[in-house]
């Protein structure tokens, strides 16, 4: 069909509807490397503003770390820029194997296969290991990429209420007649910062003869005593059949993902996962830098410990200041505001104070649970946090919400 006026009008109208719904996503152009402080052009064409970044997945501050940048340069020199091939044709170098082995050692798994992204890992893994006779039972709030991967696979599907172990047990009982049961969860749920109770989930999987897959994208590198992930936090290292995770967040933040776990399951991904078979290999420059990142997090917990201290400090001070902070221990710290407009207005005011955050509201989070989600980083120094807390206090005072409980905020602003 030609791109007729009628077709063009259709898309224009749809885009206008997205705008009217308050759901239009605008890019903010950053004119500096990713770090605790960034220079932002927003709105487009505006003067550059230097702001404290409270909103990135750069949890360990490794995205622009000099050792990682140097490793990238060295990798570029040693192995070139592109591979112009998928992995199994002529796109696998020695450094891909080396990185896979390092990741397996770090996560405490049997084997690992790299993908261009974790989205691709999730898109490929289910179809590679399950068939029509099998069932996937997932938490209802799993990441969009898991949902897509589940859709692409022929296995049957069921779900359990978010982190509700009683409900999961019922579903496991219900599906005892299936050939293979696979329970699926995020390790850390990124909107609330909740940790999936992997100890209980593993026990249920053992009791009802099920496998478990955990997407640890918001955990790998910093959750658990030595940063291995949520499985370390709950003492179930070696018991997770499949871990998928990203190299695009704490672990250097460039791109790439993996499936890591039981050797046969990883092998099945190499044989069958379509993004592995039909999408280009991870470029050497990123592989080399990611390898350095895994060395850093394997050798020392220094950055992970600093992140933990930053998280504790920020959570304490923000709670003291009178904000309604969703309790927890992850560096994802949602400041609950419930009302969508309040979340948007406060984010705008905070930006004017030099703090980069964004308001989240329906449909990104459930109706009536609008918030400003902050994320801590090991790149933050005390002064960044203090400045952020002071700005939050100033803006919180302006809207008269300091010290207010959920009910009072809703009474004052509505939902
Ligand atoms: C970010 C994220 C992904 C996607 O990772 P990419 O490597 O950027 O594709 C997948 N799953 C979860 C839970 C994530 O948070």
């Amino acid at each position: 069909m030609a791109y007729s006026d009628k077709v063009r009008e259709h898309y224009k109208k749809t885009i206008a509807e997205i705008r009217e719904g308050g759901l239009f996503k605008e890019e903010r152009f950053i004119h500096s490397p990713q770090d605790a402080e960034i220079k932002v052009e927003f709105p487009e064409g505006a003067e550059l503003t230097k702001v404290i970044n409270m909103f990135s997945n750069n949890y360990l501050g490794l995205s622009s770390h000099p050792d990682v940048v140097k490793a990238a340069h060295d990798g570029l020199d040693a192995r070139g820029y592109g591979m112009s091939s998928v992995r199994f044709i002529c796109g696998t170098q020695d450094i891909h194997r080396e990185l896979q082995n390092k990741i397996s050692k770090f996560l405490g798994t049997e084997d690992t296969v790299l993908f261009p992204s974790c989205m691709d890992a999730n898109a490929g893994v289910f179809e590679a290991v399950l068939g029509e006779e099998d069932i996937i039972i997932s938490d209802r709030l799993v990441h969009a990429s898991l949902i897509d991967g589940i859709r692409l696979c022929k296995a049957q599907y069921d779900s359990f209420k978010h982190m509700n172990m009683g409900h999961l047990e019922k579903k496991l009982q219900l599906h005892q007649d299936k050939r293979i049961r696979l329970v699926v969860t995020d390790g850390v749920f990124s909107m609330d910062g909740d940790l999936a109770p992997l100890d209980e989930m593993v026990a249920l999987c053992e009791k009802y003869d099920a496998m478990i897959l955990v997407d640890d994208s918001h955990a790998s590198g910093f959750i658990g005593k030595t940063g291995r992930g949520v499985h370390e936090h709950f003492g179930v290292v070696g018991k997770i059949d499949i871990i998928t995770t990203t190299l695009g967040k704490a672990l250097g933040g460039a791109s790439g993902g993996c499936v890591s776990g039981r050797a046969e399951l990883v092998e099945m991904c190499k044989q069958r996962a379509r993004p592995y078979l039909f999408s280009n290999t991870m470029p050497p420059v990123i592989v080399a830098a990611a390898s350095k990142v895994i060395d850093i997090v394997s050798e020392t917990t220094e950055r992970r410990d600093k992140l933990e201290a930053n998280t504790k400090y920020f959570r304490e001070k923000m709670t003291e200041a009178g904000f309604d902070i969703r309790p927890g221990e992850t560096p994802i710290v949602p400041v609950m505001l419930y009302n969508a407009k309040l979340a948007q207005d406060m984010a705008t005011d905070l930006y004017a104070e030099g703090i980069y955050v964004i308001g989240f509201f329906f449909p990104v989070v459930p109706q009536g649970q609008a918030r400003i989600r902050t994320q801590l980083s090991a790149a933050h120094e005390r002064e960044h946090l203090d400045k952020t807390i002071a700005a939050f206090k100033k803006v919180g005072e302006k809207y008269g919400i300091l010290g207010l409980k959920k009910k009072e905020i809703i009474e004052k602003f509505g939902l």
Side-chain angles (χ1 to χ4, degrees), residues 35 60-76 102 251-252 285-297 299-300 302-303:
D35 214 336
L60 293 173
L62 290 171
S63 302
S64 308
H65 189 281
D67 293 354
V68 177
V69 173
K70 178 169 187 310
H73 280 290
D74 293 348
L76 188 60
K102 281 184 188 178
L251 300 177
V285 54
I286 297 179
V287 173
S291 195
K292 181 69 194 177
V293 166
I294 302 296
D295 288 344
I296 292 172
V297 296
E299 277 159 19
T300 161
E302 198 181 308
R303 305 189 78 78

Side-chain angles (χ1 to χ4, degrees), residues 105-206:
K105 194 158 172 234
F106 181 69
L107 296 178
T109 52
E110 294 171 11
D111 202 359
T112 299
V113 56
L114 294 168
F115 279 83
S117 70
C118 186
M119 174 101 196
D120 285 318
N122 289 340
V125 63
F126 297 102
E127 193 190 20
V129 304
L130 299 176
E132 282 170 2
E133 312 90 324
D134 307 321
I135 181 118
I136 296 164
I137 309 174
S138 89
D139 187 289
R140 285 193 182 157
L141 295 188
V142 292
H143 191 262
S145 58
L146 289 167
I147 308 230
D148 286 2
I150 291 167
R151 279 196 192 135
L152 287 170
C153 135
K154 293 193 180 65
Q156 298 161 56
Y157 177 70
D158 204 347
S159 65
F160 60 98
K161 289 179 198 156
H162 181 48
M163 303 212 312
N164 184 322
M165 294 299 105
H167 201 220
L168 171 59
E169 180 159 20
K170 282 211 184 88
K171 291 297 170 88
L172 283 166
Q173 286 165 350
L174 182 68
H175 295 297
Q176 283 301 298
D177 58 332
K178 309 299 184 299
R179 182 181 67 177
I180 295 172
R181 285 157 290 286
L182 176 64
V183 172
V184 176
T185 186
D186 288 17
V188 172
F189 289 87
S190 61
M191 283 304 143
D192 292 332
D194 292 341
L195 293 168
L198 292 189
D199 49 348
E200 294 175 57
M201 294 181 83
V202 164
L204 282 174
C205 287
E206 282 172 355

Side-chain angles (χ1 to χ4, degrees), residues 322-324 336-339 342 368 400-401 403-415:
F323 285 100
D324 183 0
M336 298 306 296
L337 299 163
Y338 307 102
N339 176 291
L342 177 62
I401 58 160
L404 296 193
K405 301 218 166 49
K406 173 177 177 179
K407 211 173 123 239
E408 294 159 336
I409 298 177
I410 294 173
E411 268 167 22
K412 190 163 170 166
F413 292 91
L415 274 186

Side-chain angles (χ1 to χ4, degrees), residues 351-362:
Y351 188 77
E353 296 290 329
I355 312 298
Y356 184 39
V357 288
I358 292 186
F360 274 167
F361 42 91
F362 184 78

Side-chain angles (χ1 to χ4, degrees), residues 302-318:
E302 198 181 308
R303 305 189 78 78
R304 176 244 164 249
D305 295 344
K306 184 173 172 199
L307 174 62
E308 187 175 64
N310 279 353
T311 300
K312 207 160 165 254
Y313 181 79
F314 187 73
R315 281 182 174 279
E316 268 172 29
K317 293 287 172 193
M318 287 288 284

